[in-house]
Amino acid sequence: MAQWRHALFIRSRYAARILLLSVIAILVGWGVAPTALADDSTSAHNTLRTGWDDDEAGLVPSQVSAADFGQLFSANVNGQVYAQPVVANGVVVAATENNEVYGLDAVTGAQKWSVDFGPAWPASTVSCGDLVPNIGVTATPVYDPSTGTVYLTAKVNDGPDAQHPHWYLHALDAKTGAERAGFPTTIKGAPTNNPSVPFNPMTAMQRPGLLLLDGVVYAGFASHCDYTPYVGYIVGVNASTGAQTTIWATEASASDEGGIWESGAGLLSDGPGRIIVATGNGIAPAPGPGEDPPATLGESVVRLAVNSDGSLTPQSFFSPHDNTKLNQDDADLGSGGPMALPSNFGTTAHPRLVVQVGKDGRVYLLDADHLGGSGQG
């Protein structure tokens, strides 16, 4: 039976776990009909993941209490909405755990189009109660305004049984919902740095928001309830052709853990060829300098370089001195996603700054160029 939920789009930048969601647009005006403003194309509004929208110049405290600030419309969608909707040239793109995707008018809420990606996967297959009953589209999509394309990942129960689902990366025309040529891409293969642990679509969970960087869409993976086998993966797909460009594992020469989930926060990029992620429980690094990342990078913040062939290489890392205790307590550093501070926060000595906080509540301010390693005093 189809599950219908009242869906709500909030124009703040949060992608929280929401079971009942309604589509809301915020009207900040002066008694006139609202008009579509700038795109909101990615998780937390930008690839620094700050959540700061400098296009909202009129959104001041006095407006929040004004009579013309509030809900404009609501719309029904089929399924739970965990992914932050994006705004793509006047279209609100909202996706559900039942693998339904909707294009809604950003002003009126009228449905422009809808797409069904196929049967959602039952979470009961691995007895995981984190997100029930179905897994479909969980991660925040990303919109490319230069091509008018929205990219989304979906878990589809289209194999011979529930133990053999597939993960796909879709590319939709934001105006019509039509699939772009060359898509969807089936995510598969083994990571270049851990060929013995190939991507397992049954155990894999894709929670972090997608990143569009230099013509490639990147997705981070962890696992449902730490169900093994899995390691943390980053998968890259060419945004134009749909060809998979890379798959990298957080735990080389290890069989499991080190997932990238970040409570849904998007993969971070603070410049061309740079990706920064945070990992959960796994094989934590031994004390060592930050510019010599080990093969296993659980409980870490990691900066990766995109190589000329599309592969990924860790360049710097940070892991708390008590990372083994974090593992023992299931107090993942990577339960939160890293956020980069705008350039005016930096100094000559430390021009790029990153903030990270995990389950134990400690807030770390890191130099993105030299993350600090582990146990370096």
Side-chain angles (χ1 to χ4, degrees):
M1 179 181 295
Q3 290 188 321
W4 287 87
R5 293 289 185 269
H6 189 63
L8 173 58
F9 168 48
I10 304 174
R11 233 182 120 154
S12 62
R13 311 300 172 196
Y14 305 107
R17 178 174 298 182
I18 300 172
L19 299 184
L20 297 177
L21 208 37
S22 296
V23 176
I24 265 191
I26 299 300
L27 170 58
V28 180
W30 295 265
V32 297
T35 57
L37 298 176
D39 295 330
D40 196 10
S41 60
T42 191
S43 175
H45 194 66
N46 54 43
T47 59
L48 299 182
R49 310 308 182 189
T50 64
W52 174 252
D53 183 357
D54 55 6
D55 294 314
E56 292 282 12
L59 188 57
V60 295
S62 60
Q63 279 294 327
V64 175
S65 60
D68 61 358
F69 180 94
Q71 179 173 322
L72 293 179
F73 64 82
S74 64
N76 286 327
V77 298
N78 179 0
Q80 302 176 75
V81 178
Y82 279 64
Q84 173 192 326
V86 297
V87 181
N89 194 21
V91 179
V92 175
V93 179
T96 80
E97 295 295 349
N98 282 351
N99 273 333
E100 302 282 349
V101 188
Y102 299 85
L104 306 173
D105 187 285
V107 175
T108 67
Q111 183 175 308
K112 293 175 172 287
W113 51 263
S114 65
V115 175
D116 184 345
F117 285 158
W121 181 77
S124 59
T125 306
V126 292
S127 301
C128 182
D130 282 354
L131 198 170
V132 294
N134 296 329
I135 308 295
V137 179
T138 308
T140 298
V142 65
Y143 170 58
D144 182 1
S146 68
T147 63
T149 306
V150 176
Y151 299 91
L152 312 93
T153 52
K155 189 165 190 172
V156 183
N157 191 30
D158 60 353
D161 51 50
Q163 285 74 39
H164 298 86
H166 294 94
W167 275 102
Y168 298 100
L169 179 73
H170 291 268
L172 305 182
D173 185 316
K175 289 184 177 180
T176 66
E179 190 90 54
R180 297 296 193 190
F183 291 87
T185 299
T186 304
I187 295 172
K188 59 186 178 180
T192 54
N193 63 332
N194 197 352
S196 64
V197 186
F199 181 80
N200 186 325
M202 181 185 75
T203 58
M205 177 58 171
Q206 207 277 293
R207 184 67 181 106
L210 302 183
L211 170 67
L212 177 62
L213 178 65
D214 301 330
V216 177
V217 179
Y218 294 95
F221 288 84
S223 170
H224 302 282
C225 290
D226 284 351
Y227 199 97
T228 57
Y230 82 98
V231 291
Y233 302 99
I234 294 180
V235 176
V237 175
N238 186 290
S240 299
T241 67
Q244 186 170 306
T245 61
T246 190
I247 180 169
W248 174 83
T250 62
E251 302 275 51
S253 304
S255 62
D256 52 52
E257 300 193 334
I260 303 170
W261 58 289
E262 303 180 348
S263 296
L267 301 183
L268 186 156
S269 177
D270 62 354
R274 291 166 61 105
I275 300 173
I276 298 176
V277 299
T279 66
N281 53 288
I283 300 177
E291 274 50 72
D292 186 21
T296 52
L297 287 162
E299 302 287 6
S300 298
V301 176
V302 185
R303 176 169 58 80
L304 298 146
V306 181
N307 302 313
S308 59
D309 63 356
S311 63
L312 302 176
T313 301
Q315 297 289 308
S316 185
F317 84 100
F318 164 75
S319 188
H321 72 94
D322 59 346
N323 52 25
T324 55
K325 187 175 189 305
L326 297 181
N327 273 336
Q328 293 169 5
D329 297 344
D330 193 31
D332 302 44
L333 177 69
S335 65
M339 180 186 73
L341 298 182
S343 58
N344 56 314
F345 281 82
T347 67
T348 301
H350 306 284
R352 305 183 198 227
L353 299 174
V354 169
V355 179
Q356 176 65 31
V357 61
K359 284 184 183 178
D360 76 342
R362 289 182 171 86
V363 180
Y364 296 96
L365 181 65
L366 307 172
D367 182 331
D369 295 322
H370 307 285
L371 288 170
S374 181
Q376 297 303 287

